Each structure stands twice: as structure tokens, then as C-alpha cells.
Amino acid sequence: MAYELEEIRTSQEIFYFLLEHHEIREETESILYRAYAENEQIQNLVKSQGEIAASSIERYGDVIYLIPREENNFLGFSKAQLKAALCKSNGTDRDYFLSQFVILTLLVEFYDGQGSSSKSRTFLRVGELQNSIGAYLKEGAANAGEAEEEHGLAFANMYEAYEALRSDERGSKAKTTKEGFLHHILKFLEKQGLIDYVEEDEMIQTTKKLDSFMDWNLLNLNHLMRVRQVLGLLENGKEVRL
């Protein structure tokens, strides 16, 4: 397939902008957005550059996103980088997996994958998230052998790591406390443009970026069922309540 020189140049301009900003919004970058959305040739060229860079280029509504693949440590985050950002200085693998479990729990609390949108609520209190994490981990640890065999998750280890964190009602920001551990995870997600974290109200809201990603790409029914089974919210295909 032959491409015009101007198409190649425009595709490179779009991809470079995505590398720098990770997204292109129609309201602020209308020329680049329309060039991508309205020209299949340019769109194919940009996607091809994304493939080479181990990333996906996705358009959700009026925004085009650059999404690094899981193994992409250059544009994304390595396990070591995430552990340093989310866990205490001497954090172990169980601390790292606990941080990922916290994020998974947050997603399940906000999204149920049903209706025209997967989103099921507009906000979540930090205390409510903390209670849900403790309840899911306690339930998983109580059935550790069965849960680990079915899902490959070390619930007992994560529960032990969670309980090892001190509780501090004064709202400590230290990663050695439950409150501080959650605080740093929420600040990280906010920095990535995925949530709005209103600290003074201890309230979490999701952004349009995360809502679009969940609606369009991640949360089909099969993914939802898998996640809810992992958290113990489904038993023999039926929903249960903790």
C-alpha cells in the first residue's frame, strides 16, 4: 500500500505527540485528532508505529490514547519501578502484589460491567475502600488453599502483608500504615490521570480516561466474571455478598 509523504509526516507528528502527552483530545488538538480519526491511511501508520513501540493506539470517544503493553518498561512501568512508587522502602513481592490487589479492588468497587456503562457509582470513600480490601483479603485467606489453587493468588501472604501495616487514625502518610499505603497508591493513580483523589474529603472519583478504558477495552463480561471470582464475589456463577 502506497502512502503519500504528507500522510507519513502527519502520522509521525501524531505519534510523537502521543509519546510526549500520551493522549490527543479533540477539544484541544482538533487538527491532529481529525487527521487520525478521518484518514484511515494515517490511522494505520500511527498504529503501526505503536506496534513497533510495544504499545496500542486506541480512540475512545473524543480522545486518542497511547497505551503501553504490559511488558513495555520504557513507556510504562517495570515491577521494580511500581514497587518503589507504591510500597515501603524494603517492600517485598507480597507488598507489591498487595498494591495490585488494592487497585483491582478499587476497580471492582467502581465498575460492574452491566448496562450501557460499566460504571456503577460516582464516588468511593477511602474508608469504604479500606474496609473492602480487608474483607476480601480475610475471606480469601480463610479459603487460602482453594483460592490459590483456582486463581493463583497468594491471599494468605497478601493478608499477612496488609495486617502487618499499622493503623493510624490521624491519617499518617507513611507507607508502613494502612492509611499511608492506600494514600500513595491513590496519589499514583491520580498522577496517571485515572482518578481524582479529594484528600480533604477522603473521596475517590474516576476520570473520563479510566471510564473510557473500562467501557471500551478492559471490562467485557468474561473479564468481569474472572475478577469477581478472584475477589470471592461469585460462587458457582452466582453473586454473593460479604
Side-chain angles (χ1 to χ4, degrees):
M1 180 181 296
Y3 293 100
E4 298 290 336
L5 182 60
E6 187 61 29
E7 291 174 334
I8 296 173
R9 181 178 176 82
T10 301
S11 74
Q12 292 173 333
E13 187 179 355
I14 291 171
F15 188 67
Y16 183 81
F17 191 94
L18 286 170
L19 285 176
E20 186 174 4
H21 302 282
H22 302 289
E23 65 182 34
I24 295 176
R25 295 183 172 273
E26 183 179 19
E27 62 181 353
T28 56
E29 298 294 334
S30 60
I31 295 177
L32 292 181
Y33 177 88
R34 290 175 183 171
Y36 178 91
E38 298 173 2
N39 189 313
E40 186 177 357
Q41 301 279 79
I42 291 176
Q43 190 174 134
N44 289 337
L45 284 167
V46 176
K47 284 183 173 291
S48 178
Q49 292 175 76
E51 287 285 331
I52 294 171
S55 303
S56 298
I57 312 297
E58 302 291 348
R59 179 165 66 96
Y60 303 140
D62 57 358
V63 186
I64 302 165
Y65 293 107
L66 170 68
I67 305 173
R69 292 179 184 157
E70 185 176 350
E71 70 281 3
N72 190 332
N73 294 334
F74 178 67
L75 296 176
F77 293 92
S78 67
K79 177 181 175 182
Q81 289 171 324
L82 284 175
K83 187 187 291 187
L86 303 178
C87 305
K88 56 190 178 183
S89 58
N90 60 341
T92 63
D93 277 355
R94 71 176 189 174
D95 297 308
Y96 167 76
F97 290 123
L98 175 60
S99 71
Q100 304 309 294
F101 187 84
V102 168
I103 295 172
L104 181 64
T105 301
L106 185 148
L107 294 178
V108 168
E109 291 296 310
F110 269 108
Y111 304 97
D112 65 7
Q114 302 174 26
S116 58
S117 171
S118 61
K119 192 171 182 176
S120 59
R121 64 195 303 167
T122 58
F123 70 90
L124 175 66
R125 297 290 182 185
V126 175
E128 186 179 353
L129 174 61
Q130 186 172 329
N131 290 338
S132 294
I133 293 166
Y136 295 150
L137 287 173
K138 184 177 181 180
E139 179 74 13
N143 303 294
E146 179 182 341
E148 290 176 25
E149 181 179 345
E150 183 175 358
H151 306 300
L153 292 179
F155 273 99
N157 288 342
M158 289 190 294
Y159 185 55
E160 183 179 332
Y162 189 65
E163 288 301 299
L165 298 171
R166 296 180 291 108
S167 290
D168 190 326
E169 296 181 356
R170 295 171 299 176
S172 169
K173 301 299 189 294
K175 292 181 181 179
T176 53
T177 67
K178 289 182 173 67
E179 293 76 14
F181 184 65
L182 287 182
H183 171 80
H184 285 281
I185 292 174
L186 295 175
K187 292 299 289 184
F188 174 82
L189 294 175
E190 183 175 50
K191 187 175 180 180
Q192 304 310 309
L194 300 174
I195 67 168
D196 290 320
Y197 174 31
V198 186
E199 293 185 56
E200 56 270 26
D201 296 329
E202 295 190 329
M203 184 174 68
I204 308 161
Q205 295 175 307
T206 60
T207 62
K208 184 178 179 181
K209 179 179 180 179
L210 181 57
D211 293 342
S212 296
F213 186 65
M214 296 297 284
D215 278 340
W216 291 78
N217 194 56
L218 183 63
L219 208 79
N220 62 37
L221 186 59
N222 290 332
H223 289 143
L224 173 67
M225 293 303 180
R226 169 66 175 166
V227 168
R228 295 183 76 80
Q229 284 178 335
V230 165
L231 293 185
L233 298 179
L234 285 179
E235 189 173 287
N236 298 322
K238 296 181 180 180
E239 187 165 12
V240 297
R241 295 291 180 183
L242 296 178

